[in-house]
């Protein structure tokens, strides 16, 4: 036990820095994912066929391939086509784009499951389509899709671990580095596992539950 | 496209196709491990002994909320320290199998819990043992509604196999990395890997959806 505490104090800097990078990657990835999910999810419901096609192609490509393949492609192949992203940016953009595609299906499903009467009532009140979406449909769709988004957030957190493979110095990267210099694999990888677990179980999940309850209260359903 | 070389593409295609076989093997092998371990994790949460339920429940949460990549490294590097020298394939299949077992155990649990109490009581009334009740009454009924979830995780496990490349499992991603390093060309190998994944997972996902619809129809859940 005391040798483990010694291990922790010796590598505290690396672990803390890695955790900070992981958190930054997580927050930025989540923002990208939410934005893309809402845009693509709504576009799949748009009346315009070309827009619908663009959204569908995006969703199928990102859902049909692996996150790791996407990451390597965006980081190593895109520069050959003239678009060079720094690794930190490539990391959260790819993770966000990948989970945004999964999220788009959640957005689409939730919007479609808002009862028909709500659409008709908004129409009867002469609301414009944009206003109807913003004031009537989206708030209710949000309450419907929040529970699956809770799982999605944990998946995004886990997904950020892959950015270590393009050398973003996140928690995963640091644990590998510690393992490489000390050969204390159980301590290095075990500590990282525990940190990810604590974040997912005691930070991300409770936060999403709280959001669910807050949302239900605002809609007068709690 | 930019500087795409077709002769290079054709020259590396056979190697990538061969590696696709290994990717499918890894996905299939990992899935088998997950199917069996998942059932054990699900049943372990249904014993009358509460502490076991709590421990297994937390274990499942732990596996589900930590990155697979990290679990792959953990198993591959910590194994030898406790005397288990695992080959990349064994470590990889164990890690991916264990990871998806946690997800599948939730699918099984949902299926088992959806079976009405009356079924248990009827089995008890005709003096069936618990094991026989599970085997002959509960699992056959719990399986059909779980099919969709199980199918989705099969596609999921296939898409997660590239993570095994980091410990040297010679699947698609690993092969593409090797080709790229040998030739200093990454455009074709990485793009082809993406296309191969699309070519397999899109039809697979479509099949799962059709299979799900067919099962629901057969069970009378929808028209």
């Amino acid at each position: 036990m005391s040798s483990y505490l010694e291990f922790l104090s010796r590598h505290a800097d690396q672990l803390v820095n890695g955790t900070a990078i992981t958190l930054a990657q997580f927050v930025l990835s989540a923002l990208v994912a939410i934005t893309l999910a809402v845009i693509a999810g709504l576009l799949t419901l748009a009346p315009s066929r070309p827009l619908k096609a663009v959204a569908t192609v995006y969703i199928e490509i990102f859902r049909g391939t692996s996150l790791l393949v996407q990451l390597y492609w965006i980081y190593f192949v895109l520069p050959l086509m003239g678009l060079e992203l720094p690794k930190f940016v490539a990391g959260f953009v790819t993770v966000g784009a990948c989970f945004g595609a999964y999220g788009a299906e959640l957005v689409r499903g939730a919007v479609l499951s808002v009862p028909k009467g709500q659409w008709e009532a908004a129409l009867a009140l002469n609301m414009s389509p944009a206003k109807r979406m913003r004031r009537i449909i989206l708030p209710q769709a949000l309450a419907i899709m929040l529970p699956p988004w809770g799982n999605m957030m944990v998946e995004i957190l886990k997904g950020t671990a892959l950015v270590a493979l393009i050398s973003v110095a996140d928690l995963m990267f640091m644990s590998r580095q510690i393992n490489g210099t000390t050969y204390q694999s159980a301590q290095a990888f075990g500590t990282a596992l525990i940190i990810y677990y604590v974040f997912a179980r005691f930070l991300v999940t409770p936060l999403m539950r709280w959001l669910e309850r807050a949302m239900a209260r605002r809609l007068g359903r709690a | 496209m930019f500087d795409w070389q077709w002769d290079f593409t054709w020259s590396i295609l056979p190697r990538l196709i061969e590696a696709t076989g290994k990717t499918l093997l890894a996905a299939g092998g990992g899935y088998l491990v997950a199917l069996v371990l998942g059932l054990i994790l699900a049943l372990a949460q249904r014993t009358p002994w509460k502490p076991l339920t709590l421990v297994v429940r937390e274990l499942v949460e732990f596996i589900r909320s930590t990155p697979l990549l990290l679990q792959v490294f953990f198993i591959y590097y910590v194994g030898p320290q406790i005397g288990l020298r695992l080959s990349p394939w064994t470590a990889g299949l164990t890690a991916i199998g264990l990871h998806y077992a946690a997800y599948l155990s939730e699918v099984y649990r949902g299926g088992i819990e959806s079976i009405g109490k009356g079924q248990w009581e009827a089995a008890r009334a005709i003096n069936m043992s618990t094991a026989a009740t599970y085997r002959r009454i509960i699992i056959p009924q719990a399986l059909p509604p779980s099919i969709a979830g199980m199918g989705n995780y099969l596609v999921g496990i296939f898409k997660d196999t590239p993570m095994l490349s980091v410990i040297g499992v010679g699947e698609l991603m690993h092969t593409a990395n090797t080709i790229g390093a040998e030739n200093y060309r990454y455009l074709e190998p990485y793009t082809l890997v993406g296309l191969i994944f699309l070519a397999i997972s899109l039809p697979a996902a479509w099949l799962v959806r059709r299979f799900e619809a067919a099962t629901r129809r057969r069970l009378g859940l929808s028209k």
Side-chain angles (χ1 to χ4, degrees), chain A residues 199-212:
Chain A
F199 271 120
R201 188 102 162 84
F202 302 107
L203 202 78
V204 178
T205 307
L207 194 72
M208 292 306 290
R209 289 278 147 73
W210 175 81
L211 261 181
E212 271 172 48

Side-chain angles (χ1 to χ4, degrees), chain B residues 21-207:
Chain B
K22 290 191 183 153
T23 285
L24 291 175
L25 192 69
Y31 195 61
L32 281 183
V33 175
L35 283 177
V36 176
L37 278 180
L39 190 60
I40 295 173
L41 289 176
L43 293 180
Q45 290 177 59
R46 296 188 56 85
T47 59
W49 197 48
K50 269 274 166 290
L52 181 67
T53 308
L54 289 177
V55 168
V56 176
R57 173 91 241 117
E58 207 52 45
L59 178 69
V60 167
E61 280 301 324
F62 185 85
I63 297 172
R64 271 162 43 108
S65 46
T66 48
L68 172 58
L69 186 63
L70 191 50
Q71 293 169 1
V72 170
F73 279 121
F74 187 88
I75 290 180
Y76 187 62
Y77 285 101
V78 177
Q81 293 190 343
I82 55 167
L84 273 172
R85 191 159 284 283
L86 301 170
S87 73
W89 272 92
T90 321
L93 291 192
T94 309
I96 209 166
L98 187 64
H99 193 77
Y100 275 88
Y103 283 95
L104 280 178
S105 76
E106 295 288 286
V107 175
Y108 290 136
R109 225 163 53 93
I112 292 173
E113 278 166 9
S114 72
I115 307 301
K117 226 176 158 166
Q119 299 287 321
W120 284 99
E121 288 162 357
R124 172 75 46 81
I126 56 170
N127 208 17
M128 253 189 191
S129 67
T130 308
T133 309
Y134 268 118
R135 208 178 60 242
R136 303 205 29 207
I137 310 292
I138 304 300
I139 291 178
Q141 294 186 81
L143 217 47
S146 312
I147 294 282
M150 292 167 73
N152 283 334
Y153 286 129
L154 177 58
V155 182
I157 215 169
F158 166 67
K159 284 186 287 192
D160 272 350
T161 50
M163 282 191 223
L164 304 187
S165 65
V166 295
I167 53 168
V169 173
E171 45 63 73
L172 257 179
M173 197 74 236
H174 190 263
T175 309
N177 282 336
T178 314
I179 294 173
E182 285 167 6
N183 302 282
Y184 295 108
R185 283 195 71 83
Y186 289 94
L187 171 64
E188 293 88 352
Y190 283 164
T191 308
L192 285 173
V193 168
L195 291 176
I196 292 172
F197 266 94
L198 274 180
I200 296 175
S201 68
L202 288 185
W206 179 77
L207 274 178

Side-chain angles (χ1 to χ4, degrees), chain A residues 144-206:
Chain A
I144 296 170
M145 68 183 156
L146 267 181
W149 269 103
N151 283 331
M152 181 77 84
M153 286 299 159
V154 175
E155 293 298 325
I156 293 176
L157 174 65
K158 288 160 60 181
T160 62
L162 290 186
V163 302
L165 298 178
I166 56 167
S167 307
V168 176
D170 73 336
L171 182 55
M172 173 78 239
F173 183 88
M174 289 302 187
S175 68
R176 266 183 97 181
Q177 197 177 54
I178 297 171
N179 177 59
T181 51
T182 65
Y183 299 105
Q184 292 180 296
S185 307
Q187 290 90 326
F189 294 128
T191 309
L193 278 172
I194 292 168
I195 296 175
Y196 276 108
Y197 175 64
V198 168
F199 271 120
R201 188 102 162 84
F202 302 107
L203 202 78
V204 178
T205 307

